[in-house]
Amino acid sequence: MAACPLYWHLMIDSNRYPRLSRIESPTQLREFPESELVAIADELRAYLIESVASSGGHFGAGLGVVELTVALHYLFDTPNDRLVWDVGHQCYPHKILTGRRDRITTVKQKDGLAPFPRRDESAYDTFGVGHSSTSISAALGMAIAAQRKGDTRKIVAVIGDGAMTAGMAFEALNHGGDVKPDMLVILNDNQMSISENVGALTQMLARLMASRTLNRMRESGKKMMKREGILWRFAKRWEEHAKGMFMPSTLFEELGFHYTGPIDGHDIPQLVQALTTLKELKGPQFLHVITTKGKGYAPAERAQIDYHAVGPFDPDKGLVRKTSSKPTYTEIFCDWLCDQAASDPRLFAITPAMREGSGLVRFSKEYPDRYFDVGIAEQHAVTLGAGMACEGAKPVVAIYSTFLQRAYDQLIHDVALQNLDVLFAIDRGGLVGPDGATHSGSFDLSYLRCIPNMVVMAPADERECRQMLSTGFAYPGPAAVRYPRGNGSGVAIDQDLATLPIGKAELRRNGQHIALLAFGALVAPAARVAETIGASLVNMRFVKPLDAAMILELARSHEALVTLEDNAIAGGAGSGVAELLAAHGISMPILHLGLADSYLEHASREELLTESGLDAAGIEAAIRNRFASLIPVTPMRSTG
């Protein structure tokens, strides 16, 4: 990664942080006596509050794992011992302790620190974790590979912030309990993802928290007896019966993991004692720690959802809610969903743990019986919708573009193959920005348009977004509306539930020589360019089906075509246009503008559009470079 400008660094005040200022890496942390760890954790929490308040970033989850982070780096020989964080937004304290303390204020900014663990950023980041529920699988793979080499390094997975609600975590536990490697799984149980955790597993863990007395009796009894003889075997059998009656921890032990806990994840002496014991034990171990998201900053403890991720704020005042006269696309979806639900009782809404991010808060309150948060379980969310559609319901799956990738098999086999009536409201399509490559919706047009039976739409503005949602809902089959993050351009929104004709584009400007075929968010900058160079402009609206008649007419009446999309060029909407022309035997110059065959790093959406050449200036430069001879010196006025 490029070096950060020095003015981005938050130079630590050694007077306020006398211990933390001396810790450049875990090696320095381990030089302190254990008695200093509580004070170090206090300094780390205060520094985290100060730094995130100045720059913004993920907040609540990091505050909740301060003590755990200190204890882990103190007791384990990182980076030789492997530490895998999951979900990755818990890792800010980890980054501060592992050589990135003075750059933590650059997080999410262009050329700054990544908001998640990244292998190419630090040797301490052993596995890239931008989404959720991958840590146990990754750690298991590391443990197996290490043991096959005769390597005795320790492998630790920290899974939390709702990540245990995903099936992949249990697939890994199931396998780990079978092959029985030496590894430790730590469940950071804070009862939250972004929203409150949901599901039977959450209820089970809550019952476990109420069973601490029985746990203490069990552990004390173990220490009193030798691990041999009739008494030990009797005690083990009693323990299994007791846990079966009183404690849901049986689940983890039946999967082959030795369960310890629950313990207080903010009690450093207790953490140190437990981890010291567990790091020496053989086989798969499971430690259950209870933490509070937002710990140590009262506003974040009271409003854990609001403080999950924040922009810059004054720590003394807390968050100040910003307002805009232009609604976000997420808010447009929210309003449409509630309006459509009022007119059609068949509408059900499904989200994989993204109630706030996908705009379902209002719907969840107004229509609780038709709202389904399935946890971090994207595959289940899609097939749940398919099952509902089988019985005549009209499910709407609200999901981020990057998270829908996780349910691609279900999208094809369970929905599209059976031509079931499911609408996908795909938020964060295209370049997302500060969260980086893991959250970018760069591929959805490519992976959606190749699926038979799908209708795929990309709105140019707020009004079209609402119209397309109505169109997809009315369509008797699988449909997707893909819209970007952030505010619209200020176009007035009709409050009715009007639909658009399927597969019909909109000619916005009738020019000459060159025709710009723009999809979704790139219609706005393309319009400015078309006016400047005298080109025709079409708002394509539909990625699938394409408006074949419009494209063929433009090919006959123009000398060159330009396709524009906020998506990977490879296999994207522009590829669909080229395939259509080839199928009709038409050969003509085409320029495809979109995202290159590479991953874009974290920066603002505007910075990434400029970097990709997809702002108005970049679009015009690319067209002039390719088709200079077709651009008149004085552009023609629009004739349509």
Side-chain angles (χ1 to χ4, degrees):
M1 297 186 67
C4 271
L6 289 176
Y7 64 81
W8 276 6
H9 292 205
L10 177 66
M11 302 307 294
I12 192 165
D13 184 342
S14 59
N15 292 319
R16 293 176 60 197
Y17 305 105
R19 300 166 186 84
L20 188 62
S21 62
R22 292 156 52 193
I23 300 174
E24 298 287 347
S25 75
T27 301
Q28 283 80 49
L29 172 65
R30 296 175 198 126
E31 292 173 355
F32 283 86
E34 184 180 324
S35 59
E36 293 272 31
L37 295 186
V38 171
I40 290 171
D42 290 342
E43 290 185 20
L44 177 56
R45 176 170 282 110
Y47 185 75
L48 180 64
I49 294 170
E50 177 188 0
S51 58
V52 177
S54 70
S55 63
H58 291 101
F59 191 53
L63 289 174
V65 296
V66 165
E67 288 82 6
L68 179 60
T69 306
V70 169
L72 285 169
H73 281 297
Y74 187 75
L75 293 172
F76 288 86
D77 183 25
T78 56
N80 181 60
D81 289 340
R82 306 305 196 206
L83 182 57
V84 183
W85 290 98
D86 175 13
V87 176
H89 57 235
Q90 300 177 101
C91 74
Y92 287 25
H94 159 82
K95 292 199 177 206
I96 291 170
L97 292 179
T98 55
R100 291 163 281 183
R101 181 195 62 211
D102 297 338
R103 293 183 61 205
I104 195 65
T105 53
T106 72
V107 73
K108 287 193 171 191
Q109 299 176 34
K110 185 174 174 57
D111 298 327
L113 293 179
F116 308 105
R118 279 190 52 157
R119 284 173 54 81
D120 61 359
E121 185 177 283
S122 170
Y124 292 91
D125 293 357
T126 62
F127 196 76
V129 187
H131 283 337
S132 162
S133 315
T134 58
S135 60
I136 304 176
S137 295
L140 177 58
M142 294 175 186
I144 292 172
Q147 289 183 207
R148 294 296 186 272
K149 293 188 299 182
D151 195 328
T152 58
R153 69 182 47 171
K154 308 298 182 182
I155 311 293
V156 183
V158 182
I159 184 167
D161 231 34
M164 276 297 291
T165 62
M168 185 175 178
F170 286 89
E171 293 172 17
L173 287 172
N174 180 57
H175 185 212
D178 181 38
V179 297
K180 301 189 184 308
D182 296 338
M183 66 178 292
L184 170 61
V185 174
I186 300 175
L187 171 59
N188 168 34
D189 182 4
N190 61 14
Q191 299 187 345
M192 296 290 292
S193 50
I194 296 177
S195 308
E196 301 87 353
N197 278 347
V198 298
L201 175 65
T202 300
Q203 298 172 25
M204 184 200 82
L205 294 176
R207 292 195 301 273
L208 252 176
M209 290 173 61
S211 303
R212 292 186 184 181
T213 301
L214 188 56
N215 271 287
R216 285 195 292 268
M217 291 171 56
R218 165 195 172 211
E219 296 303 321
S220 298
K222 284 182 178 180
K223 293 174 184 177
M224 293 171 60
M225 294 180 286
K226 294 183 178 180
R227 293 176 177 264
E228 57 187 24
I230 295 175
L231 184 59
W232 172 257
R233 290 195 295 273
F234 171 79
K236 283 294 292 179
R237 185 168 298 178
W238 175 86
E239 176 191 8
E240 294 303 320
H241 284 297
K243 284 188 297 183
M245 288 186 291
F246 302 111
M247 295 170 52
S249 60
T250 307
L251 169 65
F252 301 110
E253 300 223 354
E254 290 296 330
L255 285 170
F257 280 72
H258 175 260
Y259 175 90
T260 300
I263 67 171
D264 185 349
H266 302 299
D267 184 332
I268 282 188
Q270 191 177 17
L271 282 169
V272 168
Q273 180 182 15
L275 290 171
T276 300
T277 300
L278 290 171
K279 70 180 290 190
E280 301 304 325
L281 296 180
K282 297 296 184 181
Q285 307 295 320
F286 192 99
L287 174 62
H288 183 184
V289 303
I290 307 300
T291 63
T292 299
K293 192 167 184 175
K295 178 70 174 179
Y297 184 64
E301 290 190 41
R302 291 193 299 267
Q304 294 177 332
I305 295 172
D306 292 341
Y307 283 86
H308 170 77
V310 297
F313 68 97
D314 183 342
D316 294 331
K317 298 179 180 178
L319 294 179
V320 177
R321 196 170 299 278
K322 296 180 180 180
T323 59
S324 172
S325 59
K326 300 176 183 178
T328 65
Y329 281 94
T330 304
E331 289 169 340
I332 293 163
F333 167 71
C334 167
D335 291 342
W336 170 84
L337 187 69
C338 292
D339 292 346
Q340 188 70 65
S343 69
D344 194 331
R346 297 174 299 165
L347 186 150
F348 292 164
I350 302 168
T351 179
M354 295 302 295
R355 180 182 67 192
E356 283 73 25
S358 291
L360 290 166
V361 174
R362 178 184 156 200
F363 183 91
S364 69
K365 296 175 180 177
E366 294 184 9
Y367 300 97
D369 293 340
R370 292 196 262 165
Y371 167 73
F372 298 89
D373 182 346
V374 302
I376 303 176
E378 295 86 359
Q379 294 169 313
H380 170 57
V382 172
T383 304
L384 177 68
M388 289 176 174
C390 287
E391 297 303 318
K394 297 275 289 185
V396 178
V397 178
I399 192 167
Y400 284 14
S401 171
T402 186
F403 297 146
L404 184 56
Q405 294 165 183
R406 292 184 150 204
Y408 194 53
D409 181 74
Q410 287 71 24
L411 177 62
I412 294 173
H413 289 151
D414 299 343
V415 176
L417 180 63
Q418 303 183 88
N419 202 26
L420 291 171
D421 192 1
V422 180
L423 172 62
F424 294 90
I426 304 175
D427 206 331
R428 271 65 166 180
L431 294 171
V432 172
D435 283 337
T438 61
H439 283 58
S440 184
S442 305
F443 313 110
D444 50 26
L445 300 187
S446 299
Y447 70 67
L448 287 170
R449 77 172 193 84
C450 64
I451 302 175
N453 295 333
M454 288 292 302
V455 169
V456 183
M457 295 166 274
D461 53 46
E462 301 95 313
R463 181 190 296 121
E464 274 195 356
C465 185
R466 184 176 173 96
Q467 292 171 336
M468 287 180 177
L469 289 164
S470 296
T471 302
F473 187 78
Y475 177 72
V481 180
R482 180 256 210 188
Y483 44 91
R485 180 183 186 178
N487 300 97
S489 56
V491 174
I493 302 172
D494 298 328
Q495 296 305 312
D496 59 14
L497 298 172
T499 62
L500 297 171
I502 299 288
K504 294 298 293 181
E506 175 196 28
L507 179 65
R508 289 203 170 184
R509 187 183 194 279
N510 192 6
Q512 62 179 3
H513 303 304
I514 302 171
L516 310 186
L517 282 62
F519 295 84
L522 292 194
V523 171
R528 295 193 290 274
V529 174
E531 193 69 34
T532 300
I533 66 174
S536 294
L537 172 67
V538 179
N539 169 21
M540 291 301 297
R541 286 180 168 167
F542 289 83
V543 178
K544 184 174 187 178
L546 288 168
D547 189 338
M550 175 75 79
I551 295 170
L552 294 175
E553 174 57 32
L554 292 170
R556 285 190 291 267
S557 58
H558 293 74
E559 297 167 59
L561 300 181
V562 180
T563 65
L564 305 99
E565 60 191 300
D566 185 10
N567 184 81
I569 294 174
S575 295
V577 172
E579 292 161 11
L580 174 67
L581 295 176
H584 285 80
I586 298 174
S587 177
M588 67 180 302
I590 306 178
L591 173 61
H592 297 301
L593 298 180
L595 303 181
D597 189 23
S598 61
Y599 292 105
L600 290 167
E601 302 301 339
H602 45 278
S604 70
R605 176 175 165 80
E606 292 71 28
E607 287 172 327
L608 293 178
L609 286 169
T610 299
E611 182 181 331
S612 302
L614 296 178
D615 59 354
I619 292 168
E620 182 178 347
I623 295 173
R624 287 186 179 278
N625 182 61
R626 177 73 178 274
F627 300 125
S629 63
L630 299 179
I631 301 173
V633 176
T634 303
M636 299 290 291
R637 285 188 170 276
S638 173
T639 59

